[in-house]
Amino acid sequence: MKVGITTTIPVEAVFAAGKIPVDLNNIFITAPSPQALVEEAEEEGYPRNLCAWIKGLYTVAKNDPEISTIIAVTQGDCSNTHALMETLMLAGKEIIPFAYPFDRDYDLLAHQLEKLIKALGTSWEKTREVKKKLDEIRKFLVELDFLTYAEGKVTGFENHLWLVSSSDFNQNPEEFQKELEEFLKEVKKRPREKEKLRIAYIGVPPIIPDLYDYLEERGARVVFNEVQRQFSMPYLEEDLVRQYQLYTYPYGIFARLSDIKKELEMREVDAVIHYAQSFCYRQIEDLIIRREIHLPILTLEGDKPGRMDARTRMRVDAFLDMIR
Ligand code: SF4
């Protein structure tokens, strides 16, 4: 049985229950026509002035009869999740709520995990066993990230794709691990890429993935994918609850900033692209990011899924010219 997820959750519990997690974001953005999925939600009454991700997630979940259950992160993700879940309940889906405590409290988080494990019909023991297996894959993802920023052998897009896919391990951890190990074997043979401008990408994953190739064409490479890296649980923490306590994304911009600042320095980043989705409340956080990060910052706004528009390309060009 498939369980839809709208963001990273303790996926160990889903696998431990013998179910398959499906990150609806990944299905949406890799669909043959993501824009058609957005329009389908609008035809049902979803507002035009609402984040396209939410509309895409709605249509993906609604249209897949195999996804009968969805885990809803009611705190620590998206302010639109409540209404998304209400409309999915109307479409006959079962909703399991999960909340990341705002203050990062260990006991509250452990309680949430306990509820999730029970709701899925599994146990702590089985969940911890799965964690051990997933951590073996996560070690390879840490290596992939290292090959990106330290050795220049992995492109920014490849880094993005592998890390973002670790929210559900492409629904098949064994296959994911096999493909990842093969990929790492191949990239190690690559010559070291000649030095490019080193860019950090912070913010939610882009709805315009060709941004990465566009940067590469212009002599810049993303060496840090902030949120995608967080999905991969890079700290390899042994304690399951602590792992999701260290995960920065659900705990607000200040939790994220301490990780971002450390990584910007360690990865010797030249400039930052802050991506903000149209109609997303996270756009407000741009003003905090600009005050806290003392590097050149370009804020990009994506709206519809698809290729970058001419205006965004021009802004990227001007930014890269400025920092060269
Ligand atoms: S981009 Fe913002 S509004 Fe859209 S789904 Fe993500 S958090 Fe929600």
PDB file of all heavy atoms in Angstrom, residues 197 214 218 296 298 310-324:
ATOM      1  N   LEU A 197      32.248  29.581 -10.453  1.00  0.00           N
ATOM      2  CA  LEU A 197      31.699  30.344  -9.318  1.00  0.00           C
ATOM      3  C   LEU A 197      30.928  29.370  -8.437  1.00  0.00           C
ATOM      4  O   LEU A 197      30.176  28.526  -8.940  1.00  0.00           O
ATOM      5  CB  LEU A 197      30.743  31.420  -9.828  1.00  0.00           C
ATOM      6  CG  LEU A 197      31.361  32.688 -10.396  1.00  0.00           C
ATOM      7  CD1 LEU A 197      30.272  33.563 -11.014  1.00  0.00           C
ATOM      8  CD2 LEU A 197      32.112  33.465  -9.322  1.00  0.00           C
ATOM      9  N   TYR A 214      21.347  26.032 -16.394  1.00  0.00           N
ATOM     10  CA  TYR A 214      21.589  27.407 -16.837  1.00  0.00           C
ATOM     11  C   TYR A 214      22.812  27.996 -16.114  1.00  0.00           C
ATOM     12  O   TYR A 214      23.672  28.635 -16.723  1.00  0.00           O
ATOM     13  CB  TYR A 214      20.343  28.266 -16.573  1.00  0.00           C
ATOM     14  CG  TYR A 214      20.399  29.593 -17.292  1.00  0.00           C
ATOM     15  CD1 TYR A 214      20.168  29.674 -18.649  1.00  0.00           C
ATOM     16  CD2 TYR A 214      20.720  30.762 -16.601  1.00  0.00           C
ATOM     17  CE1 TYR A 214      20.250  30.879 -19.322  1.00  0.00           C
ATOM     18  CE2 TYR A 214      20.799  31.971 -17.262  1.00  0.00           C
ATOM     19  CZ  TYR A 214      20.560  32.028 -18.615  1.00  0.00           C
ATOM     20  OH  TYR A 214      20.658  33.230 -19.277  1.00  0.00           O
ATOM     21  N   ARG A 218      26.763  29.021 -17.620  1.00  0.00           N
ATOM     22  CA  ARG A 218      27.346  30.346 -17.411  1.00  0.00           C
ATOM     23  C   ARG A 218      28.508  30.344 -16.405  1.00  0.00           C
ATOM     24  O   ARG A 218      28.824  31.366 -15.800  1.00  0.00           O
ATOM     25  CB  ARG A 218      26.261  31.340 -16.999  1.00  0.00           C
ATOM     26  CG  ARG A 218      25.599  31.887 -18.221  1.00  0.00           C
ATOM     27  CD  ARG A 218      24.160  32.212 -18.080  1.00  0.00           C
ATOM     28  NE  ARG A 218      23.645  32.552 -19.409  1.00  0.00           N
ATOM     29  CZ  ARG A 218      23.311  31.636 -20.309  1.00  0.00           C
ATOM     30  NH1 ARG A 218      23.436  30.361 -20.061  1.00  0.00           N
ATOM     31  NH2 ARG A 218      22.852  32.031 -21.505  1.00  0.00           N
ATOM     32  N   PRO A 296      26.838  38.066  -1.506  1.00  0.00           N
ATOM     33  CA  PRO A 296      25.853  38.517  -2.506  1.00  0.00           C
ATOM     34  C   PRO A 296      24.689  37.524  -2.575  1.00  0.00           C
ATOM     35  O   PRO A 296      24.916  36.311  -2.603  1.00  0.00           O
ATOM     36  CB  PRO A 296      26.652  38.514  -3.817  1.00  0.00           C
ATOM     37  CG  PRO A 296      28.085  38.538  -3.414  1.00  0.00           C
ATOM     38  CD  PRO A 296      28.168  37.850  -2.081  1.00  0.00           C
ATOM     39  N   LEU A 298      20.953  36.587  -4.524  1.00  0.00           N
ATOM     40  CA  LEU A 298      19.924  36.817  -5.544  1.00  0.00           C
ATOM     41  C   LEU A 298      18.677  36.064  -5.103  1.00  0.00           C
ATOM     42  O   LEU A 298      18.729  34.853  -4.866  1.00  0.00           O
ATOM     43  CB  LEU A 298      20.397  36.281  -6.907  1.00  0.00           C
ATOM     44  CG  LEU A 298      19.346  36.292  -8.018  1.00  0.00           C
ATOM     45  CD1 LEU A 298      19.001  37.731  -8.429  1.00  0.00           C
ATOM     46  CD2 LEU A 298      19.827  35.509  -9.234  1.00  0.00           C
ATOM     47  N   ALA A 310      12.358  34.387 -19.400  1.00  0.00           N
ATOM     48  CA  ALA A 310      13.427  35.270 -19.883  1.00  0.00           C
ATOM     49  C   ALA A 310      13.870  36.254 -18.797  1.00  0.00           C
ATOM     50  O   ALA A 310      15.061  36.550 -18.645  1.00  0.00           O
ATOM     51  CB  ALA A 310      12.950  36.021 -21.116  1.00  0.00           C
ATOM     52  N   ARG A 311      12.920  36.731 -18.013  1.00  0.00           N
ATOM     53  CA  ARG A 311      13.257  37.711 -16.969  1.00  0.00           C
ATOM     54  C   ARG A 311      14.179  37.083 -15.912  1.00  0.00           C
ATOM     55  O   ARG A 311      15.161  37.689 -15.492  1.00  0.00           O
ATOM     56  CB  ARG A 311      11.955  38.212 -16.325  1.00  0.00           C
ATOM     57  CG  ARG A 311      12.160  39.230 -15.245  1.00  0.00           C
ATOM     58  CD  ARG A 311      10.812  39.776 -14.773  1.00  0.00           C
ATOM     59  NE  ARG A 311      10.985  40.477 -13.517  1.00  0.00           N
ATOM     60  CZ  ARG A 311      10.891  39.892 -12.315  1.00  0.00           C
ATOM     61  NH1 ARG A 311      10.617  38.609 -12.226  1.00  0.00           N
ATOM     62  NH2 ARG A 311      11.052  40.598 -11.218  1.00  0.00           N
ATOM     63  N   THR A 312      13.865  35.862 -15.520  1.00  0.00           N
ATOM     64  CA  THR A 312      14.688  35.177 -14.518  1.00  0.00           C
ATOM     65  C   THR A 312      16.083  34.918 -15.078  1.00  0.00           C
ATOM     66  O   THR A 312      17.092  35.109 -14.380  1.00  0.00           O
ATOM     67  CB  THR A 312      14.018  33.841 -14.094  1.00  0.00           C
ATOM     68  OG1 THR A 312      12.691  34.140 -13.676  1.00  0.00           O
ATOM     69  CG2 THR A 312      14.760  33.158 -12.971  1.00  0.00           C
ATOM     70  N   ARG A 313      16.150  34.526 -16.356  1.00  0.00           N
ATOM     71  CA  ARG A 313      17.469  34.278 -16.965  1.00  0.00           C
ATOM     72  C   ARG A 313      18.303  35.560 -16.966  1.00  0.00           C
ATOM     73  O   ARG A 313      19.492  35.539 -16.650  1.00  0.00           O
ATOM     74  CB  ARG A 313      17.311  33.733 -18.390  1.00  0.00           C
ATOM     75  CG  ARG A 313      16.923  32.257 -18.400  1.00  0.00           C
ATOM     76  CD  ARG A 313      17.255  31.621 -19.737  1.00  0.00           C
ATOM     77  NE  ARG A 313      16.409  32.139 -20.789  1.00  0.00           N
ATOM     78  CZ  ARG A 313      15.277  31.585 -21.176  1.00  0.00           C
ATOM     79  NH1 ARG A 313      14.859  30.476 -20.594  1.00  0.00           N
ATOM     80  NH2 ARG A 313      14.555  32.108 -22.127  1.00  0.00           N
ATOM     81  N   MET A 314      17.647  36.680 -17.303  1.00  0.00           N
ATOM     82  CA  MET A 314      18.374  37.959 -17.336  1.00  0.00           C
ATOM     83  C   MET A 314      18.877  38.334 -15.943  1.00  0.00           C
ATOM     84  O   MET A 314      19.994  38.838 -15.773  1.00  0.00           O
ATOM     85  CB  MET A 314      17.469  39.080 -17.859  1.00  0.00           C
ATOM     86  CG  MET A 314      17.459  39.154 -19.381  1.00  0.00           C
ATOM     87  SD  MET A 314      16.165  40.220 -19.976  1.00  0.00           S
ATOM     88  CE  MET A 314      16.529  41.737 -19.176  1.00  0.00           C
ATOM     89  N   ARG A 315      18.062  38.085 -14.940  1.00  0.00           N
ATOM     90  CA  ARG A 315      18.468  38.422 -13.561  1.00  0.00           C
ATOM     91  C   ARG A 315      19.649  37.558 -13.117  1.00  0.00           C
ATOM     92  O   ARG A 315      20.564  38.033 -12.460  1.00  0.00           O
ATOM     93  CB  ARG A 315      17.279  38.256 -12.603  1.00  0.00           C
ATOM     94  CG  ARG A 315      16.171  39.276 -12.859  1.00  0.00           C
ATOM     95  CD  ARG A 315      15.138  39.254 -11.757  1.00  0.00           C
ATOM     96  NE  ARG A 315      15.737  39.606 -10.476  1.00  0.00           N
ATOM     97  CZ  ARG A 315      15.492  38.981  -9.329  1.00  0.00           C
ATOM     98  NH1 ARG A 315      14.653  37.974  -9.308  1.00  0.00           N
ATOM     99  NH2 ARG A 315      16.071  39.353  -8.215  1.00  0.00           N
ATOM    100  N   VAL A 316      19.620  36.288 -13.506  1.00  0.00           N
ATOM    101  CA  VAL A 316      20.740  35.398 -13.163  1.00  0.00           C
ATOM    102  C   VAL A 316      22.002  35.896 -13.869  1.00  0.00           C
ATOM    103  O   VAL A 316      23.079  35.987 -13.255  1.00  0.00           O
ATOM    104  CB  VAL A 316      20.416  33.924 -13.553  1.00  0.00           C
ATOM    105  CG1 VAL A 316      21.657  33.042 -13.439  1.00  0.00           C
ATOM    106  CG2 VAL A 316      19.302  33.376 -12.671  1.00  0.00           C
ATOM    107  N   ASP A 317      21.878  36.240 -15.153  1.00  0.00           N
ATOM    108  CA  ASP A 317      23.048  36.735 -15.913  1.00  0.00           C
ATOM    109  C   ASP A 317      23.657  37.954 -15.222  1.00  0.00           C
ATOM    110  O   ASP A 317      24.868  38.041 -15.035  1.00  0.00           O
ATOM    111  CB  ASP A 317      22.632  37.144 -17.344  1.00  0.00           C
ATOM    112  CG  ASP A 317      22.316  35.932 -18.195  1.00  0.00           C
ATOM    113  OD1 ASP A 317      22.680  34.813 -17.791  1.00  0.00           O
ATOM    114  OD2 ASP A 317      21.693  36.111 -19.258  1.00  0.00           O
ATOM    115  N   ALA A 318      22.799  38.909 -14.873  1.00  0.00           N
ATOM    116  CA  ALA A 318      23.287  40.160 -14.268  1.00  0.00           C
ATOM    117  C   ALA A 318      23.957  39.866 -12.924  1.00  0.00           C
ATOM    118  O   ALA A 318      24.995  40.446 -12.589  1.00  0.00           O
ATOM    119  CB  ALA A 318      22.131  41.138 -14.078  1.00  0.00           C
ATOM    120  N   PHE A 319      23.398  38.949 -12.172  1.00  0.00           N
ATOM    121  CA  PHE A 319      23.954  38.591 -10.858  1.00  0.00           C
ATOM    122  C   PHE A 319      25.343  37.966 -11.018  1.00  0.00           C
ATOM    123  O   PHE A 319      26.293  38.349 -10.320  1.00  0.00           O
ATOM    124  CB  PHE A 319      22.997  37.614 -10.165  1.00  0.00           C
ATOM    125  CG  PHE A 319      23.419  37.192  -8.784  1.00  0.00           C
ATOM    126  CD1 PHE A 319      23.496  38.120  -7.745  1.00  0.00           C
ATOM    127  CD2 PHE A 319      23.719  35.862  -8.508  1.00  0.00           C
ATOM    128  CE1 PHE A 319      23.858  37.717  -6.458  1.00  0.00           C
ATOM    129  CE2 PHE A 319      24.084  35.461  -7.239  1.00  0.00           C
ATOM    130  CZ  PHE A 319      24.161  36.387  -6.206  1.00  0.00           C
ATOM    131  N   LEU A 320      25.450  37.022 -11.956  1.00  0.00           N
ATOM    132  CA  LEU A 320      26.746  36.353 -12.146  1.00  0.00           C
ATOM    133  C   LEU A 320      27.786  37.355 -12.636  1.00  0.00           C
ATOM    134  O   LEU A 320      28.944  37.321 -12.196  1.00  0.00           O
ATOM    135  CB  LEU A 320      26.613  35.177 -13.122  1.00  0.00           C
ATOM    136  CG  LEU A 320      25.717  34.022 -12.651  1.00  0.00           C
ATOM    137  CD1 LEU A 320      25.632  32.937 -13.714  1.00  0.00           C
ATOM    138  CD2 LEU A 320      26.200  33.422 -11.338  1.00  0.00           C
ATOM    139  N   ASP A 321      27.385  38.265 -13.525  1.00  0.00           N
ATOM    140  CA  ASP A 321      28.327  39.300 -14.004  1.00  0.00           C
ATOM    141  C   ASP A 321      28.809  40.154 -12.834  1.00  0.00           C
ATOM    142  O   ASP A 321      29.970  40.522 -12.751  1.00  0.00           O
ATOM    143  CB  ASP A 321      27.651  40.210 -15.051  1.00  0.00           C
ATOM    144  CG  ASP A 321      27.502  39.488 -16.380  1.00  0.00           C
ATOM    145  OD1 ASP A 321      28.138  38.438 -16.541  1.00  0.00           O
ATOM    146  OD2 ASP A 321      26.727  39.973 -17.232  1.00  0.00           O
ATOM    147  N   MET A 322      27.898  40.452 -11.936  1.00  0.00           N
ATOM    148  CA  MET A 322      28.229  41.327 -10.811  1.00  0.00           C
ATOM    149  C   MET A 322      29.258  40.680  -9.862  1.00  0.00           C
ATOM    150  O   MET A 322      30.143  41.349  -9.364  1.00  0.00           O
ATOM    151  CB  MET A 322      26.952  41.635 -10.037  1.00  0.00           C
ATOM    152  CG  MET A 322      27.129  42.579  -8.879  1.00  0.00           C
ATOM    153  SD  MET A 322      25.683  42.519  -7.827  1.00  0.00           S
ATOM    154  CE  MET A 322      26.024  41.078  -6.843  1.00  0.00           C
ATOM    155  N   ILE A 323      29.117  39.373  -9.662  1.00  0.00           N
ATOM    156  CA  ILE A 323      30.011  38.750  -8.657  1.00  0.00           C
ATOM    157  C   ILE A 323      31.317  38.241  -9.257  1.00  0.00           C
ATOM    158  O   ILE A 323      32.203  37.819  -8.545  1.00  0.00           O
ATOM    159  CB  ILE A 323      29.319  37.593  -7.895  1.00  0.00           C
ATOM    160  CG1 ILE A 323      28.796  36.523  -8.865  1.00  0.00           C
ATOM    161  CG2 ILE A 323      28.210  38.101  -7.018  1.00  0.00           C
ATOM    162  CD1 ILE A 323      28.183  35.322  -8.171  1.00  0.00           C
ATOM    163  N   ARG A 324      31.440  38.273 -10.589  1.00  0.00           N
ATOM    164  CA  ARG A 324      32.685  37.764 -11.226  1.00  0.00           C
ATOM    165  C   ARG A 324      33.852  38.682 -10.964  1.00  0.00           C
ATOM    166  O   ARG A 324      33.743  39.855 -10.855  1.00  0.00           O
ATOM    167  CB  ARG A 324      32.467  37.640 -12.730  1.00  0.00           C
ATOM    168  CG  ARG A 324      32.176  36.235 -13.087  1.00  0.00           C
ATOM    169  CD  ARG A 324      32.329  35.871 -14.517  1.00  0.00           C
ATOM    170  NE  ARG A 324      31.801  34.513 -14.586  1.00  0.00           N
ATOM    171  CZ  ARG A 324      30.554  34.222 -14.933  1.00  0.00           C
ATOM    172  NH1 ARG A 324      29.742  35.157 -15.321  1.00  0.00           N
ATOM    173  NH2 ARG A 324      30.145  32.965 -14.926  1.00  0.00           N
TER     174      ARG A 324
END
